[in-house]
Amino acid sequence: MKISYNWLNELVPTHLDIDEFCEKLTMFGLEVEEVVQPGKELDNIVVGKVISVEKHPNADKLTLCQVDVGKSEPLSIICGASNVVKDILVPVAKIGAKLGDFEIKKAKLRGVESFGMICSEKELGVSDEHSGIMIIKQDIEPGTPFADAMGMNDSIIEVEVTPNRPDLLGMIGVAREVAVMLNAEYEHPEIAFEESEVKTEDEISVIIEDSEKCPRYCARMVKGITVQPSPAWMQKKLIASGLRPINNIVDVTNYVLLEYGQPLHAFDYTKIKDKTIVVRIAKDKEKMMLLDDTELKLHSENLLIADAEHPLALAGIMGGLDSSISDNTRDVVIECAYFDPKNIRASALEYGLQTDSSYRFERGMDPNSLTEVIDRAAQLMQLTGGGEISSGVVDCYPHKIEPKILPLRVSRTNGILNVKMTADEVENYLNKFEFGTKKASDDSFEVTIPTFRPDIEREIDIIEELARCYGYNNVESHFWINRIDNKQKRTVVRLAKNHLISLGFYEVNNMSFASTEDLNALKIPENDFRRNIVELANPIGEQFSIMRSTLIPDLLKNAALNLSYKFENFKLFELNRIYLKEREDTYTEPTYLTGVIVGEFDPFYWKEKQRVTSFYDVKGVVESVLSKIHCTKNVTYKVSNQPYYTNDSAADIFLDGKTIGSCGIIKDDVLQSFEIEASVMLFDIDLSRIIPLYNEKAIRFKEIVKYPPVLRDIAVIAPSDIVIGTSAQTIKSVAPNIIKDVRLFDVYTGKQIKQGCRSLAFNITFQSETLTLTDKYVDKLFDKIVKKLSLVHQIELRQE
Amino acid sequence: MKEQIQEILEEARRSIPSCVSDKDLEELRIKYLGKKSSLSDLLSKIGTVSKEERPQMGALLNKTKKEIAQLIEQKKLDLHEKTDTSRARGLDVTMPGRPLPIGAKHPLCQIWEEIEDIFINLGFEVAEGPEIESEYYNFDALNTPSGHPARNPQDTFYLKGGKLLRTQTSPMQIRVMEKFKPPIKIISTGRCYRVDKMDPSHLPVFHQVEALMVDEGITMSDLKGALDSFVKRIFTSDTRSRFRPHFFPFTEPSAEIDILCINCKGAGCKLCKKSGWLEMGGAGMVDPAVLEEVGYDPEKYTGYAFGLGIERIAMLRYGISDIRKLVTNDLRILKQFQ
Ligand SMILES: [Zn+2]
């Protein structure tokens, strides 16, 4: 539904700017889909009068027009349309005007200058018509801005009207809704006219043969009318609402449709045989020619408006060609009826005829406003075309459709919404909606639902209306979830545990107690943070005298125990708190993730030789766990000095430059003090440092790069003291945006390699996000890499 | 005799094609064609047949022998073809595949996660708190005044310096209520400590889950409903629970929760010590004094709380009778919980 904001303001002044209004309307339940301000793009376009038309001296198909645009000097404009003639009013785009992306400039066409352009309807966005220039039919002063003349200085609000609200398909219904929303009043059109001596019922009779498909039919007559263009104010509103003005009679039916939402039909009186309108079902295979020149073959489910002999219209959907208004029509019969929505829907669907009329009848019109609507139409026809309105309405309404009466409890309303509306407030809102109210008790009303609101069927439907009035956003929110929940920690813990388990680790669960002997066995020095122990005042034994400050001793004990049960290769981890004394009476309980790999990492496989486990296995575990919990950025590794690791076989792990743990191979003498006769690798990570950084919402889809990657291998001879991490970084730094990945795939030291050096081979992925990389470009980068490696690290390309 | 020969042939036609190995086939060959076979036996008895029938019988016997020999020969080829092609490809589908690692969560942690998930499903938030607590949060705020026997060092671990190891997860509930206004709907889970000798049913370190809900209009029915929902999910949908009046300092009325023995369904067994019921934990309506202590209006708000031991639930679910099995970390146990 397109709402002209200017028109709406005539009915109910909103005193709001358009954005504010649309926001309010949406929050009230009428969702604004789009706001178009057609006049905004029509600067420098004015109404002009063509005062002379001459042939272009050098081109047959062009004319040279003098156009009065209100200024002293008429403009000289070259026009290519064939419908340009003297004395018509046309839209003129002056120099500087913009039509879409096209700006009007002074132009020279075949040697003659042109100072503007005469536009078609399509060029101005008025309609799709573009066979010629637009001819303005109203009487408008040349020079008037075109947007003003056409009523286009308006905001057209496109709202989504849900199918249950047919009352909102007319401006008056919208005004009523807006009045409720703004707690204001809206104006009904004033309907007043004089009727002639002639009685309508003497001129036309109506017979409803099927009162189920047509419960009510009203007719009125205007005699001696002149068919002519409708007045400017009406045309403006029609255009604003997306309809094309045709003539005053058609325009009035359309106008009233826009105003009330109620479809009307106008017949040429002289074409109604025997002055009789019969509302009947079609005979089988009865034929009829519609207004749009299509012929229908009908059957007994189709409802017709007919005269004594022939069909006049397919009821509620489209008029017939024979009875339609022509320029010669003098006497008009206005139809205003209520049809059964189901029947209209079925027929419209059957013939594929979705018209403005069927669209509304399908949704259910108000059967009890027909006389007001038909009076309004008669009034406007007389106003726009003269003539005499015959006296009275022929109103065929065999069984009156009564408004529903529903009970409403205020307490129930408040109970459902958790609000505190008083009975008076409730009544006020209901009356604004034009619902009748009668107090039934202190707490309840009998509510009369007007027939224009077929959607209100139960008490709860009324409560919904009251909720809208109260404002959904004014209802208190009982929101309380996720203030306390430790989801972040829970997620990280579960991810880490599940990952380790899928790598073959078993989780262990040790008690929180320990003794200082455990720390001594690990050779933990006195100044280590793990010596800030928490001592129990009443321990149950010497070996349980402190709270553990590291999970490592328990895991080593678990390893020893299981070795004694003849398990040879196994992996264990524990995820639990450690306890540290920070200051006097202040303690911390960080969560640690600690694990051991006992014996070989890979399970024994008959088909292959047992792979020898190395430091890189435990580092791989650490890297994969950290990656699983999104801790990859700013993680670095440096040689560890932890006293329980074998020299040169351990790394400290840093996050943002601060240590968060370590991994490596446990020293033999430490193993001995735990009575372990197997190799043990350990990782030990402070998870508390990582948990606060975890953000599952950080995962964002990235568009797949459509340009193919280029893979190159590079083999170099590097001095042994150059760590691989650094050389990989150096390679990447050559073109950080293009070098996506640097992967080490071979390390070799041997006879062919000179002393103090090793051979490294990397696989480099080059990829651009904006273009396909050429070999030449990649070659260039490759050379740069070689140069930089040589310059920074004295790494040389390996010569084959 | 003719019938006997026919019978032998029929049997051979059935048994030879269905045999699966060379060894079986060799046994069949001996059975049908060997010196002690029934056919040889019949051949030796051919003399007993009448003169007229004798050549006919002899021919039949020979024909039968020939057919059986053919069947065996054919089967031999079939068997070899099969084994030859698959062996040629080096495939033995009975050999173990590449062993990929399988680990396991500790049984206690599995149950812990399951409990958390059930309560999360019921709309509870999960709160964790410090295990090193003050006397205030562990006792005073929970309506357990000094002098109360629970505060003795015989029952509670104290640190040098005065703090203690929480004896229950309830202190976290106080911390949450101090910080947030109702409605509150949380569980607090984690390690608790009590001075106990380690025996089949006691550990000095154990885990608890405690639920707390405080809002307007919370009743004992809500408590029973939440608890019922929980035990039905963690055990089986036919698990019943009952409340026995009891005393806890921070709830009023207080109750001990029993569930119908999951082993004998109430008939009485060793697990439930013939009572038909298993003790699960404590519950009750939050004492108004506790609500007042955290600044809630006890006239406006009511609440319930209940606490359950996670070890107890794990033991019942897995059929573990000695609680110490949950801290031995013996792979022979852990590997059962893959
Ligand atoms: Zn039992």
Side-chain angles (χ1 to χ4, degrees):
Chain A
M1 167 87 182
K2 285 191 166 117
I3 299 169
S4 151
Y5 196 47
N6 289 349
W7 190 352
L8 183 69
N9 268 286
E10 287 173 23
L11 297 171
V12 49
T14 63
H15 309 294
L16 293 170
D17 75 41
I18 181 73
D19 293 339
E20 237 179 308
F21 175 76
C22 288
E23 168 71 15
K24 266 203 147 89
L25 201 61
T26 297
M27 294 320 291
F28 197 61
L30 265 89
E31 192 184 341
V32 174
E33 292 183 323
E34 196 187 9
V35 178
V36 179
Q37 289 167 309
K40 267 203 163 164
E41 277 139 36
L42 298 174
D43 274 356
N44 275 318
I45 298 172
V46 298
V47 176
K49 188 172 184 181
V50 180
I51 45 182
S52 74
V53 179
E54 288 168 35
K55 272 233 138 52
H56 189 289
N58 307 324
D60 283 351
K61 287 189 176 165
L62 298 178
T63 48
L64 179 60
C65 310
Q66 297 302 314
V67 187
D68 172 10
V69 290
K71 287 194 178 160
S72 49
E73 283 287 305
L75 294 179
S76 199
I77 296 173
I78 293 170
C79 179
S82 56
N83 63 337
V84 61
V85 290
K86 192 167 175 283
D87 288 339
I88 55 170
L89 291 174
V90 291
V92 176
K94 298 199 292 185
I95 288 161
K98 272 187 185 163
L99 296 172
D101 292 335
F102 174 63
E103 192 181 329
I104 305 291
K105 290 176 185 152
K106 191 166 89 175
K108 218 173 205 179
L109 281 113
R110 301 219 174 186
V112 181
E113 287 197 316
S114 178
F115 297 86
M117 183 174 127
I118 303 176
C119 307
S120 70
E121 292 187 13
K122 190 177 182 182
E123 282 158 343
L124 299 172
V126 175
S127 78
D128 283 340
E129 182 61 49
H130 62 106
S131 59
I133 53 165
M134 178 178 179
I135 297 171
I136 298 165
K137 290 174 182 157
Q138 301 102 297
D139 186 17
I140 292 161
E141 189 66 27
T144 311
F146 176 77
D148 286 350
M150 305 310 290
M152 288 166 92
N153 274 333
D154 192 357
S155 295
I156 309 303
I157 306 165
E158 175 101 48
V159 296
E160 189 204 339
V161 175
T162 51
N164 62 329
R165 292 296 303 272
D167 62 306
L168 297 177
L169 296 172
M171 290 301 294
I172 289 176
V174 173
R176 180 165 46 224
E177 193 82 355
V178 170
V180 183
M181 176 177 98
L182 301 175
N183 195 22
E185 302 293 331
Y186 76 100
E187 264 179 71
H188 265 276
E190 216 170 281
I191 304 173
F193 50 82
E194 272 184 25
E195 295 179 318
S196 69
E197 306 268 289
V198 183
K199 284 189 171 163
T200 316
E201 58 190 39
D202 293 339
E203 299 288 314
I204 191 105
S205 52
V206 172
I207 301 161
I208 297 179
E209 285 187 0
D210 188 330
S211 65
E212 223 170 82
K213 290 190 172 68
C214 175
R216 191 179 187 186
Y217 194 98
C218 297
R220 241 194 193 287
M221 276 191 66
V222 186
K223 298 184 89 173
I225 200 166
T226 309
V227 178
Q228 58 189 17
S230 45
W233 63 266
M234 187 177 280
Q235 290 201 14
K236 278 187 198 176
K237 284 180 177 164
L238 291 173
I239 290 169
S241 308
L243 292 176
R244 245 166 90 82
I246 294 167
N247 61 46
N248 56 337
I249 297 181
V250 177
D251 289 358
V252 166
T253 59
N254 280 336
Y255 183 84
V256 176
L257 172 95
L258 293 174
E259 201 171 39
Y260 284 88
Q262 167 72 36
L264 297 167
H265 196 72
F267 298 106
D268 186 329
Y269 178 58
T270 58
K271 291 172 185 165
I272 299 173
K273 186 108 178 169
D274 290 352
K275 304 182 174 184
T276 307
I277 288 175
V278 187
V279 185
R280 63 168 170 87
I281 54 169
K283 293 165 208 152
D284 234 5
K285 293 181 181 137
E286 188 170 2
K287 284 181 183 171
M288 113 164 257
M289 189 65 113
L290 292 179
L291 262 178
D292 65 353
D293 277 338
T294 52
E295 194 188 51
L296 297 184
K297 220 189 237 173
L298 306 161
H299 57 78
S300 65
E301 280 303 308
N302 304 130
L303 189 69
L304 290 180
I305 312 300
D307 61 14
E309 288 177 1
H310 299 293
L312 301 171
L314 184 59
I317 299 173
M318 196 183 274
L321 192 61
D322 296 341
S323 60
S324 64
I325 303 296
S326 70
D327 288 348
N328 305 320
T329 299
R330 299 284 298 154
D331 303 335
V332 174
V333 176
I334 310 169
E335 165 201 290
C336 186
Y338 174 75
F339 300 112
D340 170 42
K342 283 196 289 297
N343 180 257
I344 300 289
R345 191 177 309 134
S347 291
L349 202 65
E350 183 179 355
Y351 298 113
L353 295 166
Q354 303 296 328
T355 61
D356 281 343
S357 171
S358 70
Y359 181 81
R360 287 167 165 85
F361 280 125
E362 272 177 31
R363 285 160 170 75
M365 288 288 109
D366 179 12
N368 293 327
S369 66
L370 299 189
T371 48
E372 182 186 340
V373 176
I374 205 166
D375 284 353
R376 175 66 169 162
Q379 174 199 22
L380 290 174
M381 282 198 194
Q382 190 182 50
L383 191 77
T384 61
E388 294 191 323
I389 299 168
S390 56
S391 149
V393 175
V394 175
D395 184 0
C396 211
Y397 196 6
H399 313 288
K400 185 168 191 242
I401 296 168
E402 296 290 348
K404 281 171 286 223
I405 295 175
L406 299 174
L408 173 79
R409 290 159 293 167
V410 177
S411 57
R412 172 86 174 157
T413 308
N414 286 332
I416 284 179
L417 305 177
N418 189 33
V419 300
K420 293 189 178 82
M421 275 192 266
T422 64
D424 285 347
E425 282 172 90
V426 166
E427 190 169 28
N428 179 43
Y429 283 136
L430 294 177
N431 293 342
K432 277 262 180 255
F433 277 119
E434 292 170 32
F435 293 3
T437 45
K438 201 177 115 194
K439 214 153 190 176
S441 74
D442 279 353
D443 185 48
S444 64
F445 293 101
E446 278 177 4
V447 184
T448 307
I449 310 301
T451 43
F452 59 75
R453 289 298 301 271
D455 59 312
I456 306 289
E457 292 179 316
R458 298 158 301 161
E459 183 187 37
I460 192 71
D461 298 326
I462 307 176
I463 293 174
E464 182 184 44
E465 296 304 287
L466 292 167
R468 286 200 299 133
C469 292
Y470 189 86
Y472 283 9
N473 293 318
N474 294 328
V475 173
E476 195 185 316
S477 157
H478 276 181
F479 181 80
W480 54 274
I481 276 290
N482 287 339
R483 297 178 303 182
I484 302 156
D485 195 51
N486 68 345
K487 180 158 182 285
Q488 193 182 36
K489 177 174 181 188
R490 191 166 63 237
T491 308
V492 172
V493 164
R494 289 186 182 190
L495 279 174
K497 281 189 180 183
N498 290 337
H499 181 70
L500 285 170
I501 285 158
S502 67
L503 294 177
F505 281 80
Y506 285 86
E507 184 185 17
V508 296
N509 170 48
N510 292 293
M511 295 199 293
S512 321
F513 301 133
S515 81
T516 45
E517 280 313 306
D518 297 332
L519 301 176
N520 297 340
L522 284 184
K523 304 173 181 294
I524 289 176
E526 282 309 316
N527 58 357
D528 191 282
F529 71 96
R530 286 164 287 197
R531 289 285 180 179
N532 298 327
I533 51 171
V534 180
E535 287 176 281
L536 289 169
N538 54 339
I540 47 173
E542 195 47 45
Q543 78 276 30
F544 287 159
S545 59
I546 64 167
M547 302 294 285
R548 57 182 173 167
S549 58
T550 165
L551 304 182
I552 301 169
D554 279 339
L555 274 158
L556 293 177
K557 288 176 195 172
N558 298 149
L561 178 83
N562 284 300
L563 283 165
S564 78
Y565 295 141
K566 306 296 174 214
F567 289 100
E568 288 176 344
N569 305 314
F570 56 90
K571 294 165 254 182
L572 306 174
F573 78 91
E574 180 164 9
L575 196 160
N576 255 322
R577 298 184 192 188
I578 63 163
Y579 309 85
L580 299 170
K581 187 171 183 173
E582 239 184 8
R583 290 188 305 276
E584 202 53 50
D585 221 26
T586 311
Y587 305 90
T588 57
E589 303 175 20
T591 297
Y592 264 65
L593 175 59
T594 305
V596 289
I597 300 166
V598 181
E600 301 300 341
F601 184 84
D602 283 348
F604 171 73
Y605 182 27
W606 55 268
K607 203 167 182 291
E608 288 165 7
K609 252 172 81 181
Q610 183 72 46
R611 191 175 59 78
V612 177
T613 305
S614 76
F615 164 77
Y616 297 106
D617 285 292
V618 71
K619 194 193 173 198
V621 170
V622 169
E623 285 172 325
S624 71
V625 170
L626 292 183
S627 154
K628 193 72 206 168
I629 57 179
H630 300 181
C631 180
T632 47
K633 255 198 183 166
N634 305 328
V635 174
T636 48
Y637 298 84
K638 283 178 196 155
V639 173
S640 174
N641 295 319
Q642 293 289 359
Y644 38 80
Y645 290 127
T646 310
N647 284 346
D648 291 339
S649 293
D652 284 335
I653 310 160
F654 293 84
L655 174 63
D656 293 320
K658 285 180 191 156
T659 161
I660 54 161
S662 65
C663 60
I665 302 172
I666 299 280
K667 245 184 201 161
D668 284 342
D669 51 348
V670 172
L671 291 177
Q672 271 159 30
S673 49
F674 285 91
E675 288 165 21
I676 293 173
E677 286 175 25
S679 77
V680 175
M681 298 198 195
L682 171 87
F683 64 86
D684 185 40
I685 302 167
D686 182 357
L687 219 51
S688 316
R689 300 279 305 283
I690 300 170
I691 291 165
L693 306 178
Y694 180 80
N695 176 13
E696 60 204 329
K697 294 171 190 87
I699 298 182
R700 300 284 298 168
F701 168 74
K702 236 171 101 185
E703 202 54 66
I704 291 164
V705 178
K706 54 183 173 180
Y707 305 100
V710 178
L711 304 179
R712 288 285 172 88
D713 292 344
I714 183 169
V716 293
I717 309 288
S720 296
D721 59 341
I722 303 287
V723 295
I724 285 162
T726 326
S727 30
Q729 268 171 18
T730 304
I731 294 173
K732 196 158 165 42
S733 72
V734 169
N737 293 324
I738 298 214
I739 297 172
K740 298 293 178 200
D741 195 21
V742 180
R743 208 160 42 81
L744 178 78
F745 75 90
D746 189 40
V747 183
Y748 176 74
T749 39
K751 279 182 198 154
Q752 295 98 317
I753 312 300
K754 75 176 170 201
Q755 272 288 315
C757 285
R758 51 184 177 171
S759 157
L760 307 175
F762 295 96
N763 183 278
I764 308 174
T765 306
F766 300 86
Q767 191 173 33
S768 160
E769 274 148 40
T770 50
L771 50 94
T772 303
L773 294 177
T774 59
D775 277 347
K776 219 173 139 190
Y777 184 77
V778 177
D779 288 344
K780 249 190 190 166
L781 284 180
F782 195 86
D783 288 344
K784 268 194 185 173
I785 291 169
V786 173
K787 279 199 189 106
K788 190 155 186 184
L789 284 174
S790 158
L791 199 71
V792 181
H793 304 301
Q794 290 78 49
I795 294 175
E796 302 302 333
L797 197 64
R798 184 171 164 182
Q799 309 294 338
E800 292 307 324
Chain B
M1 183 174 264
K2 196 178 170 187
E3 286 79 42
Q4 279 175 296
I5 298 171
Q6 213 64 47
E7 221 171 86
I8 292 166
L9 182 62
E10 293 288 314
E11 200 199 309
R13 279 176 177 162
R14 275 197 310 273
S15 57
I16 294 169
S18 60
C19 101
V20 292
S21 69
D22 284 345
K23 196 174 151 244
D24 293 351
L25 197 63
E26 180 57 20
E27 273 169 22
L28 287 179
R29 195 191 64 79
I30 292 162
K31 180 178 169 189
Y32 292 117
L33 306 175
K35 277 176 189 151
K36 288 175 185 166
S37 71
S38 30
L39 281 181
S40 304
D41 191 40
L42 284 174
L43 192 64
S44 67
K45 287 179 189 160
I46 197 141
T48 61
V49 182
S50 68
K51 242 185 186 162
E52 303 86 90
E53 282 182 297
R54 207 173 288 161
Q56 205 192 333
M57 278 306 135
L60 184 65
L61 271 170
N62 276 329
K63 196 181 149 220
T64 305
K65 264 185 148 176
K66 216 172 170 183
E67 185 180 339
I68 292 174
Q70 256 171 10
L71 279 171
I72 289 171
E73 208 50 40
Q74 185 57 47
K75 184 65 199 177
K76 206 173 239 167
L77 284 175
D78 286 353
L79 279 175
H80 283 206
E81 193 175 3
K82 260 185 203 159
T83 47
D84 280 351
T85 50
S86 53
R87 288 238 174 98
R89 276 187 268 117
L91 180 72
D92 179 351
V93 294
T94 63
M95 297 280 276
R98 176 185 285 280
L100 294 173
I102 311 168
K105 253 176 216 172
H106 191 277
L108 183 86
C109 298
Q110 292 190 27
I111 289 290
W112 189 354
E113 276 189 16
E114 205 178 315
I115 292 169
E116 277 184 348
D117 287 343
I118 290 170
F119 280 108
I120 290 167
N121 258 297
L122 292 170
F124 285 81
E125 294 182 80
V126 183
E128 270 186 284
E131 292 165 26
I132 298 171
E133 265 296 0
S134 65
E135 286 198 85
Y136 173 76
Y137 284 112
N138 198 68
F139 291 126
D140 298 331
L142 287 161
N143 214 20
T144 313
S146 51
H148 192 282
R151 301 179 72 144
N152 288 344
Q154 286 80 11
D155 290 316
T156 301
F157 282 110
Y158 285 88
L159 305 181
K160 289 180 179 167
K163 290 233 170 162
L164 51 75
L165 299 181
R166 64 178 177 189
T167 59
Q168 55 211 3
T169 44
S170 321
M172 190 52 198
Q173 306 189 343
I174 301 295
R175 288 174 180 275
V176 167
M177 286 194 285
E178 277 181 348
K179 214 168 152 195
F180 300 99
K181 290 273 145 272
I184 297 281
K185 193 175 178 186
I186 58 156
I187 56 165
S188 48
T189 61
R191 288 195 164 193
C192 303
Y193 302 82
R194 279 178 206 175
V195 180
D196 269 319
K197 278 258 155 53
M198 286 169 73
D199 67 28
S201 44
H202 295 93
L203 285 177
V205 182
F206 58 97
H207 295 75
Q208 250 194 1
V209 52
E210 277 195 44
L212 170 74
M213 179 159 189
V214 183
D215 198 359
E216 290 178 57
I218 298 297
T219 66
M220 195 146 163
S221 298
D222 297 312
L223 166 60
K224 294 188 71 172
L227 221 123
D228 256 335
S229 308
F230 173 74
V231 296
K232 282 180 163 54
R233 288 204 203 180
I234 196 77
F235 297 114
T236 51
S237 56
D238 60 355
T239 306
R240 276 169 48 207
S241 62
R242 71 173 188 191
F243 281 44
R244 257 183 305 108
H246 194 77
F247 171 77
F248 297 111
F250 39 90
T251 49
E252 201 72 57
S254 300
E256 276 206 316
I257 314 153
D258 296 336
I259 59 166
L260 198 65
C261 177
I262 56 166
N263 186 39
C264 64
K265 302 286 176 202
C269 66
K270 206 175 144 200
L271 179 67
C272 58
K273 298 187 187 96
K274 302 254 186 289
S275 72
W277 294 89
L278 297 168
E279 205 179 303
M280 288 301 298
M285 300 303 288
V286 181
D287 194 303
V290 173
L291 294 176
E292 209 153 358
E293 182 68 31
V294 296
Y296 290 1
D297 177 358
E299 286 299 314
K300 190 174 175 192
Y301 296 110
T302 50
Y304 66 74
F306 59 85
L308 305 163
I310 299 177
E311 276 83 355
R312 170 83 167 148
I313 295 170
M315 288 164 75
L316 288 173
R317 265 281 295 274
Y318 294 123
I320 298 170
S321 55
D322 186 336
I323 195 171
R324 292 171 298 186
K325 293 267 194 303
L326 291 172
V327 289
T328 56
N329 301 312
D330 178 342
L331 277 167
R332 294 170 304 180
I333 295 170
L334 298 180
K335 278 180 183 279
Q336 296 177 35
F337 295 92
Q338 288 176 350

